[in-house]
C-alpha cells in the first residue's frame, strides 16, 4: 500500500492502527509489480472501527471503571501494553460513570490517548499512540514498507 485511508503508509504499526480505525469506504492506493502507475481502490472493510483496540466489561462492584476483556493484536492498546484484566479508571484525565461514557470519551479523543490503568494493584498511565503520533515519530520510509 502506498496510501490507506488518505494517509501515506509509513510502517507496519501505523498501517495496523489505520486499518483498525478506518471508516468505510476506505480509499487506498497500491503499487503493483510491473504496473505503469499506482492503482486507486475503494475498500469496504468488515466490522466497525476500533480506535483503542479493546473490548471491555463493567462490574457493578467497581463503578467508574471498565475491565479489559480483549486486546486486539497490533492495536494502539496492544502497543501500549494493555492486557486482559486491566482496569481503566480515567481516559485523558477524565472520569467516566459507565461503559457507555467511557466509549463516548474514547470516540471523541483526538491524538494520543492516556489511560489510567491498574493491574495487580499497580496504577500506571498507558499511553496509546495515534496514527498521527506514529507518522511524526517514524522517519520517512520508502512507500509500501
Amino acid at each position: 500500500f502506498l496510501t490507506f485511508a488518505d494517509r501515506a503508509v509509513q510502517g507496519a504499526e501505523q498501517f495496523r492502527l489505520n486499518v483498525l480505525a478506518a471508516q468505510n469506504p476506505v480509499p487506498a492506493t497500491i503499487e503493483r509489480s510491473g504496473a505503469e502507475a499506482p492503482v486507486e481502490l475503494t475498500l469496504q472493510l468488515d466490522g466497525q472501527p476500533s480506535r483503542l483496540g479493546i473490548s471491555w466489561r463493567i462490574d457493578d462492584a467497581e463503578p467508574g471503571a471498565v475491565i479489559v476483556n480483549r486486546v486486539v493484536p497490533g492495536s494502539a492498546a496492544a502497543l501500549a501494553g494493555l492486557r486482559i484484566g486491566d482496569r481503566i479508571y480515567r481516559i485523558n484525565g477524565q472520569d467516566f460513570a459507565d461503559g457507555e461514557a467511557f466509549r463516548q470519551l474514547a470516540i471523541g479523543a483526538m491524538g494520543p490517548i492516556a489511560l489510567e490503568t491498574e493491574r495487580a494493584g499497580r496504577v500506571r498511565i498507558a499511553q496509546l499512540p495515534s496514527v498521527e503520533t506514529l507518522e511524526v515519530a517514524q522517519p520517512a520510509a520508502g512507500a509500501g514498507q
Side-chain angles (χ1 to χ4, degrees):
F1 284 91
L2 298 175
T3 65
F4 187 88
D6 296 322
R7 296 185 187 282
V9 175
Q10 298 179 356
E13 287 180 349
Q14 181 251 347
F15 180 70
R16 277 191 294 272
L17 292 179
N18 247 346
V19 170
L20 289 171
Q23 302 238 2
N24 284 316
V26 183
T29 306
I30 63 169
E31 187 172 53
R32 289 189 151 166
S33 179
E36 291 183 22
V39 177
E40 302 282 333
L41 303 170
T42 300
L43 306 174
Q44 192 73 22
L45 303 178
D46 287 339
Q48 296 296 316
S50 177
R51 171 74 166 88
L52 303 179
I54 62 171
S55 60
W56 60 87
R57 65 180 176 83
I58 57 170
D59 184 337
D60 291 339
E62 294 186 64
V66 297
I67 303 165
V68 177
N69 62 9
R70 181 170 182 250
V71 179
V72 176
S75 68
L79 293 174
L82 264 68
R83 294 185 192 160
I84 293 171
D86 286 354
R87 270 96 171 127
I88 302 173
Y89 298 106
R90 287 185 189 78
I91 181 168
N92 288 338
Q94 294 183 293
D95 293 324
F96 50 88
D98 55 29
E100 179 58 24
F102 174 77
R103 188 178 76 76
Q104 290 299 323
L105 287 171
I107 288 171
M110 302 299 290
I113 295 175
L115 298 177
E116 183 178 309
T117 66
E118 180 264 325
R119 178 186 306 150
R122 298 191 71 191
V123 175
R124 75 176 184 105
I125 302 296
Q127 296 288 341
L128 280 64
S130 66
V131 173
E132 296 81 9
T133 302
L134 288 173
E135 287 175 351
V136 171
Q138 291 181 351
Q145 290 187 356

